[in-house]
Amino acid sequence: MDHHCPSPMKATSNGIFQGDNPLDFALPLAILQICLVLVVTRGLAFLLRPLRQPRVIAEVIGGILLGPSALGRNKGYLNAVFPPKSITVLDTLANIGLLFFLFLAGLELDVKSLRQSGKKVLAIAVTGITLPFALGIGTSFILRGTINKGVNATAFLVFMGVALSITAFPVLARILAELKLLTTDVGRMAMSAAAINDVAAWILLALAIALSGDNLSPVVPLWVFLCGCGFVIGAYLIVPPIFKWISRRCHEGEPVDELYICATLAAVLAAGLVTDVIGIHAMFGAFVIGVLLPKEGPFAGVLVEKVEDLVSGLFLPLYFVSSGLKTNVATIQGIQSWGLLVLVIFTACFGKIVGTFIVSLLWKIPKNEALALGFLMNSKGLVELIVLNIGKDRKVLNDQTFAIMVMMALFTTFITTPLVLAVYKPAKMLRKGDYKHRRIERKNPNTELRILTCFRSSRNIPSVINLLEASRGTERGERLSVYAMHLMEFSERPSAILMVHKARHNGLPFWNKGQRSANHVVVAFEAFQQLSQVSVRPMTSISSLSDMHEDICITAEKKNIAMIILPYHKNLRLDGSFESTRPDFHLVNKRVLEHASCSVGIFVDRGLGGTAQISASNVSFSITVLYFGGHDDREALAYGTRMAEHPGVELTVIRFLVESDSSEEIVTIHTEGTSADEEFLAAFRTSISDDSSIKYEEKTVRNVSETITILRDYSRCSLFLVGRRPDGVVPLALSQRIDCPELGPVGSLLTSPEYATTASVLVVQQYYDNLYANSSQQRDVASVPEN
């Protein structure tokens, strides 16, 4: 290969038929690189999912694998896919991604919470910087003596110090959110300390960059640093007023003017240009703009949603690759190099963990929390890589030192999640409360009914509201109190993190105290609250599907809920059949049914009351309770009775009695369950004798088909209330063909495609204490007919 400068690549090729190799042109090559990177990093992220690692890890490892360490040992591949002349385009794209990503990272960092963080956090943060920095300086002497000879001493010192003392703020946010620690004290302290640490690291980095120029005059670094400070002060004076004005012009729930978005993105790029001209990397400016944007109001959220997917999805992974192309793990060879790697990892972890741990103990933080804090502060991430890459580009770090430092960053972040999980588990610490009303069936029906209703998307809302309207009963003393929880799946996107940050300010998964949210969901519930005097508190739970049930159960426990209403995991299609859009929600429902410490209802929505929200005056529902026997049926009847007090609701109760038919040998076993049912029904019938809106019918059935025939007559009603585990022979016969165990035999029948109805179904499971549960399970076993 001739050594003159490679001719610049043309952007697009003429196509393969004209004899062009597409990989010799900039655009097709860049597209290939992006696709390759995405496939590799997403594949790795999927493999690392069970280890609960943040996505950064997968991206760094992916970059290293694509580089000279693994695949790049095949020189043919390296020259075809990442030829030296394509690196400029790759780096430019990567740096654009980096610029915007750091702008988003700045948006995540809330300066207000920094001002409020107390002495404790400040002490933790300062130790978390100074101790590793000092150790970094020590390490730098050792490294300079061995493998990194002949570089600018001060620059190398500062680079090593910064590289060891950084805590990655965005990565930490994702780890904490994944472990559900963001709302705990540990999470708050870690976030605030990391934010202080982050700001300090940026200042140190600017210093390091200023020092690492090629020139010999000592005045230049001073100029660079002063201009950098000038830029920050100027931005601090100019940026907030303008954006405050913009965010005043953006109203909740209305689309943000595209001009403002465009202006902001241009401002980010302009700030990048200014800092690049000064000589501290372009992303510095972008980060500063992100930090200075006001976080109140809808503007910041909209901005994040507009930028995040393209940036962190497509462009940012390129940065990890361009970093991975410079990392050659093969340069770490021989006892000395590996020894140095161990030394660097040890000093990095020692400085962070031990420093944080000791200071936390001095501030009387309990041991396990202090340890968890130490591990959390030890996570490195993107900023670390940026520091190392700048050092490599400025020739401060050579190949071997660079590889050692990248391995150190990888290792320290990798161990964070498992170690924190090992020492600190907060979610399990909730003990059972001692409130009485854990179900709807109760001695005094006039007490307050507290319901937690969960929904996944706005399509469930109108029906849920109509169901709540019916549950309101009358306006007599007993009030209905509703908590409406929006279940959102946690993702690593900045917008999800921003929401979790909002949650930080006000405790567990709820965040709409105070600020009006643009969420149309909340608006719907607020409207309902005004119409019907039911107190509705909207809240949001953001968690991965594997622990969503914990959020639901813990909330129910904290809020003394009597009944959790969950949406059925399949959605209704137009032709009336159900399709399963997210089978994972099926597991969430199953787990809630197992773990909840109150009654649970699963609501199969077939458009209850039409799609419009009905105001109280024109509700007319006909509700049918199918009563076979057993706790769950009693609970369903209690709920139905409650609903029947509403002036617009007509209730029909159908009691199924089994007539023993000699031709089919069915053995009925009368157990203590039936007597409880008799008492309950007797009480129910005396209470309804004067109520015209409640009809009570007894039907005697011989077998399943008769039952189904009777049900067909009632398919015109608006809502069926059924128990999940009814007693008796007919349900047992039905349960042979159950599709969906959480709906129980009768519920499955009513939702099956062959039973045509427009009625919604609410399947109820009653909460009862363990002592009682065991006997009931034995009873279920006792009444199975011998085949």
Side-chain angles (χ1 to χ4, degrees), residues 135 139 142-143 147 160 164 332-351 400-401 403-405 407-409 411-412 415:
L135 287 172
T139 322
I142 300 176
L143 285 173
I147 57 174
M160 287 298 295
L164 289 190
I332 310 178
Q333 46 186 244
I335 300 282
Q336 187 193 34
S337 297
W338 285 102
L340 288 170
L341 174 62
V342 174
L343 174 80
V344 169
I345 289 180
F346 176 74
T347 44
C349 295
F350 182 82
Q400 198 172 350
T401 320
I404 285 181
M405 297 305 286
M407 297 306 284
M408 181 273 298
F411 180 79
T412 52
I415 59 174

Side-chain angles (χ1 to χ4, degrees), residues 203-394:
I203 298 168
L204 289 169
L205 177 60
L207 186 76
I209 295 173
L211 287 172
S212 65
D214 306 329
N215 52 345
L216 304 169
S217 123
V219 188
V220 175
L222 186 67
W223 269 119
V224 173
F225 198 66
L226 286 177
C227 288
C229 295
F231 164 76
V232 173
I233 293 165
Y236 182 73
L237 296 174
I238 299 167
V239 173
I242 296 176
F243 283 109
K244 279 216 171 70
W245 178 81
I246 288 183
S247 84
R248 271 206 304 279
R249 299 282 305 271
C250 301
H251 300 297
E252 291 291 2
E254 290 173 19
V256 173
D257 192 336
E258 161 253 25
L259 176 70
Y260 297 147
I261 302 270
C262 199
T264 313
L265 299 184
V268 173
L269 290 172
L273 174 68
V274 173
T275 44
D276 200 82
V277 169
I278 293 174
I280 45 182
H281 202 285
M283 65 204 174
F284 195 83
F287 182 75
V288 169
I289 300 279
V291 171
L292 292 177
L293 267 189
K295 316 287 186 286
E296 292 82 50
F299 186 59
V302 171
L303 217 108
V304 170
E305 280 171 16
K306 291 265 191 290
V307 182
E308 63 184 355
D309 289 342
L310 188 65
V311 165
S312 47
L314 280 184
F315 292 155
L316 192 65
L318 289 178
Y319 189 79
F320 294 102
V321 168
S322 89
S323 162
L325 287 173
K326 298 176 200 152
T327 316
N328 192 352
V329 182
T331 53
I332 310 178
Q333 46 186 244
I335 300 282
Q336 187 193 34
S337 297
W338 285 102
L340 288 170
L341 174 62
V342 174
L343 174 80
V344 169
I345 289 180
F346 176 74
T347 44
C349 295
F350 182 82
K352 277 285 186 201
I353 298 175
V354 175
T356 310
F357 181 64
I358 291 172
V359 174
S360 310
L361 286 184
L362 291 178
W363 283 94
K364 300 198 172 40
I365 296 174
K367 279 202 191 61
N368 62 339
E369 289 190 19
L371 206 56
L373 260 178
F375 293 144
L376 286 167
M377 298 304 283
N378 195 25
S379 56
K380 306 269 191 284
L382 184 67
V383 184
E384 171 82 358
L385 270 193
I386 298 169
V387 175
L388 299 178
N389 274 304
I390 296 173
K392 178 89 162 56
D393 296 343
R394 299 280 172 107

Side-chain angles (χ1 to χ4, degrees), residues 425-738:
K425 289 198 175 68
K428 307 283 180 291
M429 293 177 186
L430 189 88
R431 49 166 237 306
K432 268 205 166 168
D434 46 0
Y435 63 98
K436 294 203 302 286
H437 299 307
R438 291 174 184 272
R439 43 182 146 179
I440 298 178
E441 180 198 338
R442 45 182 82 162
K443 297 274 187 303
N444 171 11
N446 290 346
T447 43
E448 180 187 46
L449 175 60
R450 301 171 76 91
I451 292 185
L452 170 66
T453 159
C454 306
F455 52 92
R456 295 198 301 271
S457 63
S458 46
R459 68 196 283 179
N460 314 70
I461 291 181
S463 312
V464 166
I465 287 185
N466 289 330
L467 178 68
L468 292 174
E469 168 59 47
S471 335
R472 194 169 56 123
T474 60
E475 276 99 56
R476 277 207 326 270
E478 89 287 42
R479 292 294 298 265
L480 175 66
S481 171
V482 178
Y483 292 84
M485 187 190 255
H486 190 174
L487 304 178
M488 293 181 69
E489 199 179 340
F490 172 70
S491 68
E492 292 198 0
R493 295 159 63 164
S495 51
I497 299 289
L498 269 180
M499 284 173 67
V500 182
H501 281 317
K502 279 188 185 164
R504 266 180 73 206
H505 295 304
N506 30 24
L508 210 86
F510 328 147
W511 52 272
N512 340 39
K513 308 177 182 128
Q515 80 267 40
R516 300 258 326 173
S517 66
N519 209 331
H520 50 277
V521 168
V522 179
V523 174
F525 281 109
E526 280 172 354
F528 169 61
Q529 179 165 351
Q530 267 132 29
L531 279 171
S532 62
Q533 294 99 43
V534 172
S535 76
V536 181
R537 294 185 194 76
M539 55 210 193
T540 303
S541 150
I542 307 168
S543 58
S544 52
L545 287 170
S546 54
D547 358 313
M548 204 171 262
H549 67 279
E550 278 179 25
D551 259 15
I552 297 173
C553 296
I554 288 176
T555 308
E557 188 67 54
K558 281 198 163 173
K559 300 289 175 194
N560 303 351
I561 300 294
M563 173 89 151
I564 302 175
I565 295 181
L566 299 167
Y568 185 44
H569 65 276
K570 298 184 182 176
N571 281 332
L572 189 67
R573 282 210 296 254
L574 286 173
D575 60 2
S577 62
F578 285 96
E579 62 175 340
S580 184
T581 41
R582 295 295 310 271
D584 342 9
F585 275 111
H586 171 85
L587 292 172
V588 175
N589 286 0
K590 245 169 83 170
R591 290 191 191 115
V592 174
L593 283 169
E594 280 167 35
H595 298 293
S597 54
C598 59
S599 294
V600 183
I602 291 187
F603 182 45
V604 182
D605 173 22
R606 287 201 176 106
L608 175 64
T611 46
Q613 236 169 296
I614 304 178
S615 64
S617 47
N618 9 0
V619 171
S620 62
F621 288 153
S622 57
I623 296 177
T624 310
V625 177
L626 306 178
Y627 194 96
F628 292 92
H631 313 285
D632 294 357
D633 282 16
R634 293 208 285 279
E635 184 77 349
L637 182 52
Y639 197 13
T641 323
R642 180 107 193 181
M643 289 180 172
E645 293 173 2
H646 192 291
V649 170
E650 290 197 347
L651 180 71
T652 311
V653 180
I654 307 175
R655 164 95 196 274
F656 288 91
L657 295 168
V658 178
E659 177 188 304
S660 49
D661 183 0
S662 53
S663 64
E664 298 179 25
E665 289 182 16
I666 295 181
V667 189
T668 38
I669 299 177
H670 284 283
T671 52
E672 90 298 7
T674 44
S675 58
D677 284 333
E678 294 301 333
E679 285 166 32
F680 185 72
L681 282 173
F684 166 70
R685 292 170 71 173
T686 50
S687 67
I688 64 162
S689 50
D690 53 345
D691 192 337
S692 58
S693 64
I694 304 185
K695 293 201 213 40
Y696 174 79
E697 302 175 11
E698 294 196 348
K699 304 274 184 189
T700 307
V701 289
R702 279 196 295 261
N703 50 26
V704 175
S705 49
E706 285 189 15
T707 315
I708 296 180
T709 322
I710 293 176
L711 290 183
R712 288 248 152 82
D713 305 343
Y714 290 93
S715 63
R716 312 271 318 184
C717 72
S718 359
L719 175 68
F720 280 113
L721 287 172
V722 298
R724 179 170 166 245
R725 297 159 303 189
D727 281 359
V729 187
V730 174
L732 266 173
L734 272 174
S735 59
Q736 312 302 333
R737 45 174 178 186
I738 216 163

Side-chain angles (χ1 to χ4, degrees), residues 91-113:
D91 278 358
T92 309
L93 281 175
N95 276 305
I96 289 179
L98 187 63
L99 243 156
F100 281 117
F101 185 78
L102 284 166
F103 166 63
L104 293 181
L107 270 176
E108 278 179 27
L109 192 140
D110 192 2
V111 188
K112 278 213 182 71
S113 61

